[in-house]
Amino acid sequence: MSYNVARTCYRFECLSLPPDPGALGDLRALHTFENARDAIRAMRIQVRTFHMAGLNPREIAHALNWTENGCVQAVAALDRGEPCSLSLITTHGDLIEWQIRPIKLLATVESSEGDATLRPIPLPELSA
């Protein structure tokens, strides 16, 4: 016996984009979290420690303000099913962007003689 269960998870990404428009960016982090609060917690930790990578004082203030105040609105947005993000510019001109967005995962549960396995399968994004 098998059946499918759809559930919402949260995809967390951190991208680094160089100032040169033709250059490729780097994916610095990619995680999937079971709930919005864990995803926001991971983002707050990265943002709070990122100032060591060369942010100017204005960007540091922006980052710290987001970790103290902006993250509350970010959790609310995720709870409404909306994505949230934060972008900072390093002193070298790189754009660092953190993004969390809700995604649907399809979990297939198979059971035989009481033994069940759960396999998450990402659902394709649908456009309206």
Side-chain angles (χ1 to χ4, degrees):
M1 173 176 84
S2 73
Y3 56 96
N4 297 328
V5 178
R7 62 189 169 118
T8 300
C9 291
Y10 299 87
R11 181 183 171 115
F12 169 78
E13 303 174 345
C14 179
L15 300 170
S16 174
L17 302 168
D20 178 13
L24 295 175
D26 291 326
L27 181 64
R28 294 184 170 218
L30 178 62
H31 304 285
T32 301
F33 292 92
E34 294 290 322
N35 62 65
R37 280 147 189 79
D38 287 345
I40 292 292
R41 185 176 300 115
M43 187 168 161
R44 286 181 72 209
I45 290 169
Q46 280 199 11
V47 170
R48 286 186 72 88
T49 58
F50 195 77
H51 71 276
M52 303 297 283
L55 298 178
N56 66 38
R58 191 184 94 227
E59 291 292 280
I60 291 172
H62 179 60
L64 294 177
N65 182 51
W66 186 90
T67 63
E68 296 300 320
N69 304 310
C71 63
V72 175
Q73 288 105 1
V75 170
L78 291 171
D79 286 343
R80 290 189 306 267
E82 301 169 2
C84 67
S85 65
L86 173 69
S87 298
L88 299 172
I89 298 175
T90 68
T91 54
H92 301 293
D94 292 346
L95 174 70
I96 308 299
E97 182 173 83
W98 291 267
Q99 184 180 85
I100 301 171
R101 57 192 159 111
I103 60 171
K104 292 286 187 187
L105 291 181
L106 179 62
T108 300
V109 179
E110 294 181 8
S111 178
S112 63
E113 299 178 17
D115 183 24
T117 57
L118 188 66
R119 294 179 296 186
I121 304 167
L123 292 175
E125 292 188 21
L126 302 175
S127 59

